[in-house]
Amino acid sequence: MSKKLYVGGLSYSTTQGSLSDAFSQAGVVLSAIVITDKMTGRSKGFGFVEMSTEEEAQTAINMFNGKELDGRTITVNEARPQETRR
């Protein structure tokens, strides 16, 4: 079963492709998304990576949490479901 990860502290220069490439070291990446501002198109500094198995997701957390990617120290943990907005 796939597992979605939250990745915070991303460099503004990090792209979906570079994020996917980095996390592919830990296993099969199903999707990688860098969240961008709707008005400017600029990265908001966080994103999500979906790994194909829970084991690969845990490997990615162990490999990347607190490590440097594109010159920034990133935070990686299990993504929580999106909260409903009022």
Side-chain angles (χ1 to χ4, degrees), residues 30-77:
L30 298 178
S31 66
I33 299 169
V34 174
I35 304 303
T36 57
D37 182 89
K38 290 179 184 178
M39 300 298 259
T40 64
R42 183 176 170 190
S43 168
K44 288 190 171 186
F46 70 97
F48 297 94
V49 175
E50 187 175 5
M51 303 298 291
S52 65
T53 66
E54 291 190 28
E55 293 78 18
E56 290 173 348
Q58 190 59 50
T59 299
I61 291 170
N62 295 338
M63 281 180 73
F64 294 107
N65 189 39
K67 301 295 191 278
E68 193 172 295
L69 179 67
D70 294 335
R72 298 278 313 262
T73 301
I74 62 171
T75 301
V76 181
N77 51 42

Side-chain angles (χ1 to χ4, degrees), residues 16-31:
Q16 293 178 172
S18 65
L19 186 61
S20 179
D21 289 345
F23 276 76
S24 67
Q25 297 173 45
V28 177
V29 175
L30 298 178
S31 66

